[in-house]
Amino acid sequence: MFRQVSRLFHATCLLAIGLLTVGSTHLMAQELNWANKMLERQNIDFGTVARGADTVYRLKIRNIYKEDVQLLGTRTSCGCSKAKLSTNLLKSGEEGYVEIAMDTYKFMREKTSNVFVTFSIANIGTVEVQIPLRVYIRTDVVLTPGAINFGGFDVGAGKESTVNVAYAGRPDWTITGINSSNPLVTATFVETSRSGGAVNYQLIAKVSPDAPVGDFGGIISLTTNDVGTPAVPVPFNGRVEAEFVITPSLLTLGNLVPGTTKALQVVIRSKKPFAIEKIECETVDGAFQVKLPTTTAPVHVLPMTLKVPDLAGPLNETFTISLPGRPNVIQFKATGTIISAPAAPATNPAASIPAPAGVPATTSGL
């Protein structure tokens, strides 16, 4: 009996030690979770998509720590997915992303995968983060191409693009409605053919001329009479480009000493030749001097000179460029800080005058 109890006690001890080891490992895993906290989300579900649809997600990564974070690389657990980093280094407060995509051409029905991203902080350690992925790829609906790609176009111009939607299955399958996630992107559809169970539609999407400068994207959702899976998501993306590009758009001047002079340069580019009529400042009169170009060209280099005013504090200036015959103007900004000039060190006039040769220097005192 004693021997049996001893064996039970020995087994219990081993079990306890094993539990402690597992617990310690779990705690260590929790300690390594610092990298997961940088992710916008911990998993990605693309939902149900048509075959051939572009399924791309840019998972945001933000460095919430004081230390620099290195992004050492990515890998995936399946050939159905791929991942690409936007940067290999994030300083404190900086943001980047890992672009994740699923292959909906070669694969069908439900697919799951994992993306692994390796993070490292000097003197803290390296950890690999796992991001689970899921998508269901329909076999009856095909998009060609996989997304409505508007590409880049000038602001105010608007843009139109199309995609073909092919269905194979029920002979009465019909698109009944349409909805866009972006009010500046609208769409219509036209049935182009129907034969037996094969139905083809053309989807025509338009971007409004009111769309602002910058990248945009979203989903156009097609509603169908398919009770099981009534929605067909069609992704779209594009970029509205400014007519004029100013480099740099913000002049960062840093610390400035009153009375000093600083040389600056701004480059303005456009797709078409243009002329500059005048440049005006909003606040600091006479501090900035610029030589206006006299020619009409697609690129203008503006050499500027700043004579720092005798006024300590922040320096924020907005420049307005007027173009001949155009009501619209171009603007760029400058920012810096005017610091007080350092005071000259105090000197003793008597001590600065050397004593005559052979006469010892004397000091006065009480």
Side-chain angles (χ1 to χ4, degrees):
M1 180 69 179
F2 177 77
R3 181 174 298 175
Q4 184 178 2
V5 171
S6 299
R7 287 177 179 174
L8 287 173
F9 178 77
H10 179 66
T12 305
C13 289
L14 289 176
L15 177 62
I17 292 172
L19 289 173
L20 285 172
T21 303
V22 172
S24 300
T25 304
H26 180 65
L27 290 174
M28 289 176 65
Q30 285 184 327
E31 290 173 1
L32 292 177
N33 201 36
W34 58 265
N36 288 84
K37 296 177 182 179
M38 298 171 58
L39 301 180
E40 175 190 16
R41 56 194 301 180
Q42 302 301 315
N43 60 77
I44 299 171
D45 189 341
F46 291 100
T48 301
V49 302
R51 187 176 183 186
D54 290 353
T55 50
V56 180
Y57 188 86
R58 288 185 172 180
L59 180 62
K60 188 186 299 181
I61 304 171
R62 183 174 183 271
N63 183 1
I64 59 176
Y65 305 104
K66 294 181 179 179
E67 298 84 1
D68 292 350
V69 175
Q70 288 185 306
L71 286 70
L72 301 182
T74 64
R75 64 183 182 91
T76 62
S77 62
C78 172
C80 61
S81 62
K82 60 181 180 179
K84 181 175 64 175
L85 291 168
S86 65
T87 182
N88 295 113
L89 178 67
L90 289 177
K91 294 186 175 296
S92 181
E94 288 186 342
E95 291 185 354
Y97 61 85
V98 52
E99 184 175 276
I100 300 170
M102 298 288 284
D103 187 342
T104 64
Y105 289 92
K106 297 179 181 178
F107 300 89
M108 291 179 287
R109 298 186 174 85
E110 183 161 357
K111 292 299 296 181
T112 59
S113 181
N114 291 287
V115 169
F116 300 90
V117 183
T118 304
F119 297 84
S120 180
I121 295 182
N123 302 322
I124 292 181
T126 299
V127 60
E128 187 177 63
V129 170
Q130 177 180 333
I131 305 166
L133 312 176
R134 179 199 169 274
V135 67
Y136 186 88
I137 306 162
R138 296 180 63 164
T139 60
D140 56 348
V141 181
V142 180
L143 297 183
T144 309
I148 300 173
N149 186 355
F150 293 101
F153 56 95
D154 293 338
V155 62
K159 189 72 177 290
E160 180 178 301
S161 187
T162 63
V163 65
N164 294 318
V165 182
Y167 172 82
R170 290 170 40 190
D172 63 341
W173 188 85
T174 305
I175 296 177
T176 58
I178 196 165
N179 183 58
S180 173
S181 63
N182 188 331
L184 294 174
V185 178
T186 58
T188 57
F189 57 89
V190 177
E191 183 178 314
T192 57
S193 68
R194 181 180 292 271
S195 177
V199 186
N200 290 278
Y201 283 90
Q202 185 180 61
L203 179 64
I204 305 102
K206 296 181 180 180
V207 185
S208 168
D210 297 329
V213 172
D215 295 329
F216 65 91
I219 296 291
I220 292 174
S221 182
L222 305 179
T223 305
T224 72
N225 62 349
D226 188 336
V227 178
T229 49
V232 178
V234 181
F236 64 82
N237 61 80
R239 182 180 66 261
V240 181
E241 299 174 341
E243 183 180 3
F244 299 94
V245 178
I246 301 178
T247 308
S249 58
L250 176 63
L251 287 168
T252 304
L253 306 176
N255 291 331
L256 304 166
V257 178
T260 59
T261 301
K262 190 177 184 69
L264 309 167
Q265 181 175 282
V266 173
V267 179
I268 307 176
R269 293 180 172 86
S270 179
K271 294 179 180 179
K272 299 178 181 179
F274 65 100
I276 296 178
E277 186 175 60
K278 62 181 178 179
I279 300 180
E280 298 173 296
C281 298
E282 286 190 357
T283 56
V284 187
D285 294 334
F288 290 92
Q289 300 292 327
V290 59
K291 184 177 180 181
L292 290 178
T294 58
T295 60
T296 299
V299 178
H300 289 293
V301 179
L302 304 180
M304 304 177 64
T305 303
L306 166 63
K307 186 174 182 181
V308 183
D310 293 327
L311 181 64
L315 172 64
N316 297 304
E317 185 59 274
T318 299
F319 301 89
T320 300
I321 303 175
S322 300
L323 308 176
R326 287 179 175 239
N328 297 332
V329 296
I330 310 170
Q331 289 187 328
F332 65 95
K333 297 183 178 182
T335 181
T337 303
I338 303 174
I339 60 176
S340 300
T347 59
N348 183 348
S352 64
I353 303 174
V359 179
T362 59
T363 57
S364 62
L366 296 177

